[in-house]
Amino acid sequence: MRVMLVAMMATACTASLVGSVIEHEVISGNATSRNDALKVMEANMNKMTPLIEQAARDGSDIVVLPEMALTALVESRQVMSYYIAVLPETGNETVACNNSVYATIPMLQRLSCAARENKIHLAVNWGEIVPCTNTDPHCPPDGKYQFNTELIFTDKGVLVAKYHKLHTFDATEFDTPPEEEFVYFVMKGVRVGIVTCFDAIYGSPLLPLIKKHNVSVFVLSHWWVNQYAMFSAAAWWQALSRRLDVSLLAAANWQTVDIPHLWNSGSGLYSRGNIIASWYNVNREHQEKLLTGTVDTNGGSGNNLPEYTNPIPITPPGPMCVQHFDWDAASIRVGEQYTGKVSCGPFSCEASFVVSQLPQQPEYWVLYMDRGYYVDSDGAGVYYYEEFCSLYKCNTADGCYGSKEQMHDDTGSTFFSSVVLRATFMPGSVNYATSSDGTGNVHPDIMTGLRFDDNPGKLSTANFTNLSHPLINLALVGRQYSLDGKVQ
């Protein structure tokens, strides 16, 4: 059974919205009590509050905070319980700001006040405790659900919508909701949907929100683990926005870590594929980043998208089919064409490119493909099925396809006059084209220089010309949503 939660507000329609997203360097702590946890959350809010205030001064209708922006990454269920609380229901015009009823939830009061005092809608990722009993067959042993929760406050401080993240990845501190939730709220007459991080890989809740509920704008809080140069957050958000024909406001969270490949930056506003503002912190600078821009509220009809179907029953999937082809960096010459092709059964992936300028230090290039169920489930035994074809820069001569530790090179200096990528996706798949430039951000020419001829069941081609910036990745991603499976 699916649950649709709708928060209705103003009905006057507008063709655009002004939105802001905050990329936040999170403060973490070793909380052993609710008081400790509150201090951590207050410290994070103290860093983000000036940016919320600036967004309001810049005329934003809404500002989006990142996933776990208040709590940081907490992998203990018990410790997370110190941070989160039982929250009020929506639909009753709840205003927690300066309301003594909510004195025991001071962070809820502060969030409500931040929205009301700045007269701005606030989308914030937090968490919610929902008590349950043994009459509920899904109730956890400790008698409560803990959900990764996105909260929406209106510009009057009203808690108007809550969404529980469906695809929790490997989070042990949060539970998977027993029922799917399709949540949107209405702002200035526009339906704004809610998805959180890993949700954006799956068909639910995205496809139903677009096709059945006419959602054209999404807020997305995330803590994405980038895999450079193969696959990254900002490039994926832009690709989603383009193919699904929606506007996307994506806010990233990150913290300094010692493992090079664990880097989570990548925020932006993408309007039906057009890059309104995009940010990737390639220098790992200690800073807060505010991005603001106007997004189109049209689009999102879903006419060329499949109907969503529930995951099919599967047994635990085996390894993906993986193939790759490497070029010898020393042999690449300016002006010459190079080609390569790899296959996994009926799925083929081929590339051709011409380099216009080589860097002083050699940059290695790999054509990589995989096909099958991705190695990690969503946290509830649901695996997604992909066909992936990518030409990307490698930081070593031995190929950057074997381990995550190798896939962290997010810069590049090779210029191309053309890059062509072709893939034979299966019929019925929804296909996306992504690309990153030499600074790790979305390639700025992707909407003007990339022609994507999408022919599922035949040959899909991404032809990239007129590149004004270096390129470290061009990828085609095929998602056969109907093959997503749940282990029985």
Side-chain angles (χ1 to χ4, degrees):
M1 174 179 167
R2 298 174 194 163
V3 177
M4 183 184 74
L5 304 177
V6 184
M8 298 300 295
M9 293 165 51
T11 57
C13 191
T14 181
S16 63
L17 290 174
V18 180
S20 295
V21 300
I22 293 174
E23 181 156 312
H24 170 55
E25 181 183 13
V26 71
I27 297 171
S28 59
N30 297 315
T32 59
S33 66
R34 295 191 67 82
N35 187 55
D36 289 345
L38 180 60
K39 290 178 181 178
V40 173
M41 292 191 290
E42 291 285 3
N44 281 299
M45 270 301 288
N46 289 343
K47 289 182 70 176
M48 292 184 288
T49 294
L51 281 75
I52 296 172
E53 295 169 347
Q54 184 62 52
R57 288 193 295 269
D58 292 342
S60 282
D61 298 305
I62 185 168
V63 58
V64 184
L65 276 54
E67 186 177 20
M68 292 181 279
L70 299 174
T71 65
L73 183 62
V74 177
E75 296 181 287
S76 162
R77 182 180 180 85
Q78 178 61 43
V79 174
M80 179 56 77
S81 70
Y82 301 143
Y83 286 89
I84 60 180
V86 177
L87 300 177
E89 293 302 317
T90 59
N92 55 7
E93 296 296 304
T94 298
V95 177
C97 182
N98 299 326
N99 188 337
S100 60
V101 172
Y102 302 104
T104 58
I105 320 175
M107 183 49 58
L108 182 70
Q109 292 179 310
R110 180 166 181 177
L111 294 170
S112 176
C113 287
R116 188 172 76 170
E117 292 170 1
N118 291 288
K119 298 180 175 61
I120 192 170
H121 289 72
L122 177 65
V124 56
N125 180 269
W126 192 18
E128 179 177 24
I129 293 174
V130 177
C132 56
T133 67
N134 57 12
T135 59
D136 177 355
H138 304 287
C139 185
D142 58 2
K144 66 179 186 296
Y145 290 106
Q146 293 188 178
F147 295 129
N148 179 317
T149 307
E150 191 80 11
L151 306 178
I152 306 296
F153 296 87
T154 73
D155 54 1
K156 294 179 173 59
V158 175
L159 177 61
V160 74
K162 294 188 295 185
Y163 167 71
H164 299 140
K165 183 180 180 182
L166 178 60
H167 303 286
T168 60
F169 199 45
D170 59 356
T172 57
E173 69 276 19
F174 287 122
D175 298 302
T176 298
E179 296 177 319
E180 292 176 306
E181 300 175 358
F182 307 120
V183 183
Y184 64 85
F185 58 101
V186 180
M187 181 173 62
K188 298 176 70 174
V190 177
R191 295 186 177 194
V192 182
I194 307 172
V195 291
T196 304
C197 200
F198 204 42
D199 287 334
I201 286 287
Y202 289 83
S204 177
L206 273 173
L207 296 185
L209 283 170
I210 295 170
K211 289 184 68 67
K212 293 185 178 181
H213 307 298
N214 301 313
V215 169
S216 59
V217 180
F218 286 88
V219 294
L220 191 153
S221 301
H222 74 92
W223 192 321
W224 192 271
V225 178
N226 293 312
Q227 290 178 300
Y228 277 103
M230 185 185 291
F231 195 62
S232 62
W236 180 239
W237 310 142
Q238 186 277 333
L240 278 176
S241 173
R242 180 179 188 169
R243 176 61 182 85
L244 302 181
D245 194 31
V246 297
S247 292
L248 194 63
L249 284 64
N253 214 1
W254 60 271
Q255 63 186 124
T256 305
V257 294
D258 296 327
I259 306 173
H261 75 272
L262 288 178
W263 188 242
N264 312 98
S265 179
S267 303
L269 297 93
Y270 310 99
S271 184
R272 306 176 74 181
N274 294 298
I275 303 169
I276 306 303
S278 191
W279 166 253
Y280 175 72
N281 189 356
V282 67
N283 295 321
R284 278 62 169 170
E285 296 173 347
H286 297 283
Q287 62 174 297
E288 305 291 288
K289 187 69 175 181
L290 175 69
L291 303 175
T292 298
T294 301
V295 298
D296 190 348
T297 62
N298 297 308
S301 68
N303 290 336
N304 60 353
L305 295 174
E307 294 293 336
Y308 172 70
T309 57
N310 290 326
I312 61 176
I314 61 172
T315 58
M320 304 179 82
C321 177
V322 175
Q323 300 291 341
H324 55 85
F325 179 93
D326 305 353
W327 283 271
D328 179 6
S331 68
I332 295 178
R333 299 287 184 268
V334 170
E336 296 185 13
Q337 186 176 57
Y338 297 88
T339 62
K341 182 176 180 178
V342 288
S343 298
C344 279
F347 179 50
S348 67
C349 167
E350 56 184 287
S352 63
F353 60 87
V354 178
V355 172
S356 60
Q357 181 179 322
L358 288 166
Q360 291 184 343
Q361 296 297 321
E363 293 183 349
Y364 305 93
W365 292 90
V366 174
L367 178 64
Y368 170 94
M369 71 172 299
D370 62 46
R371 181 175 192 253
Y373 287 105
Y374 186 68
V375 294
D376 292 316
S377 80
D378 72 337
V382 179
Y383 290 80
Y384 71 88
Y385 194 95
E386 74 170 13
E387 292 177 317
F388 184 82
C389 171
S390 178
L391 173 72
Y392 65 94
K393 181 212 166 186
C394 181
N395 63 317
T396 61
D398 58 356
C400 294
Y401 43 79
S403 66
K404 290 181 179 179
E405 284 74 12
Q406 290 178 299
M407 294 189 296
H408 68 267
D409 191 18
D410 52 9
T411 61
S413 302
T414 301
F415 283 82
F416 295 85
S417 56
S418 69
V419 182
V420 180
L421 204 60
R422 300 182 181 90
T424 53
F425 296 112
M426 66 178 64
S429 66
V430 179
N431 305 322
Y432 303 87
T434 79
S435 185
S436 300
D437 71 1
T439 67
N441 206 343
V442 184
H443 201 288
D445 302 328
I446 193 165
M447 291 299 288
T448 57
L450 180 68
R451 177 179 175 181
F452 183 29
D453 296 319
D454 188 13
N455 299 291
K458 298 180 181 178
L459 187 67
S460 296
T461 303
N463 191 336
F464 213 163
T465 57
N466 304 318
L467 285 78
S468 62
H469 294 71
L471 176 145
I472 61 172
N473 163 272
L474 177 62
L476 294 176
V477 185
R479 283 289 286 110
Q480 185 63 267
Y481 293 109
S482 64
L483 290 182
D484 288 359
K486 183 176 179 62
V487 173
Q488 300 302 297

